[in-house]
Amino acid sequence: MQSANAAAVELSDTALLVTTPDVICVRAAKRLVRLWDRLQIRKAEDTTTVVNRLTRNTEIQPPLVGKATGTRVARTSVPAAFKELQPYVDAGRMQDLDARSAVRQALWALAGELGLVDAPAAARQGRGSHRARTPLSGRRRKALTAGPAAGEPGAPGVPGAQGAAGAFGPAGPYEEG
């Protein structure tokens, strides 16, 4: 912990502490939170912990991380999905990650939870309903009412409804709702 890091944490509105759900990292997160408290940089209750690389089989789940560190744990955890991330990480093009990716959906949900994006924008970035997506077989469900079929651009609440530019077109994910 250097003085520049301490100043950044102290002056920030929100402090996120990212940890993985293993004993070594949770202990390190706990030590860091205690250090911040000792140095009067930030109190534990003013820190939000994000659990990264979480799986269902992990013995240490987010509530235990919160109990161990004394911090508030974000409702949204980032799943461990390296196989879907690897090609994009290797290419250095994380922005090209598929909208149906569990990691991308989790990151947008986390941004919405933290108030960094509005809820409708987070929903447009891959958090649509399962009925709005085209099934893997390529067949589309018939719409009950007249208008665009579910899953087609132009249908309300469909992730592809932004137009031909897509989620990262000229306006990108920063467009106003």
Side-chain angles (χ1 to χ4, degrees), residues 122-166:
R124 284 194 303 265
Q125 298 303 326
R127 298 291 293 183
S129 74
H130 67 282
R131 294 180 186 186
R133 294 189 201 118
T134 304
L136 294 175
S137 65
R139 295 180 4 218
R140 293 192 174 144
R141 295 181 185 187
K142 292 185 180 181
L144 297 175
T145 60
E152 290 183 3
V158 175
Q162 288 104 311

Side-chain angles (χ1 to χ4, degrees), residues 81-132:
F82 190 70
K83 285 186 180 181
E84 77 179 32
L85 286 176
Q86 185 175 6
Y88 302 102
V89 170
D90 291 345
R93 308 236 352 127
M94 289 297 295
Q95 69 273 15
D96 293 340
L97 191 60
D98 185 24
R100 293 174 295 189
S101 163
V103 174
R104 180 171 171 180
Q105 289 179 4
L107 292 175
W108 277 104
L110 180 62
E113 182 180 336
L114 297 173
L116 300 174
V117 295
D118 59 343
R124 284 194 303 265
Q125 298 303 326
R127 298 291 293 183
S129 74
H130 67 282
R131 294 180 186 186

Side-chain angles (χ1 to χ4, degrees), residues 54-99:
L54 183 70
T55 63
R56 291 182 189 171
N57 303 333
T58 308
E59 289 185 31
I60 299 176
Q61 291 294 315
L64 184 58
V65 172
K67 190 174 181 180
T69 60
T71 62
R72 183 182 79 80
V73 177
R75 290 185 314 268
T76 306
S77 298
V78 181
F82 190 70
K83 285 186 180 181
E84 77 179 32
L85 286 176
Q86 185 175 6
Y88 302 102
V89 170
D90 291 345
R93 308 236 352 127
M94 289 297 295
Q95 69 273 15
D96 293 340
L97 191 60
D98 185 24

Side-chain angles (χ1 to χ4, degrees), residues 1-17 32 35-36 39-42:
M1 192 75 189
Q2 298 174 354
S3 59
N5 297 356
V9 172
E10 186 175 14
L11 295 174
S12 65
D13 295 331
T14 304
L16 287 181
L17 182 59
L32 186 61
L35 176 66
W36 288 351
L39 295 175
Q40 297 179 351
I41 295 171
R42 181 167 298 269

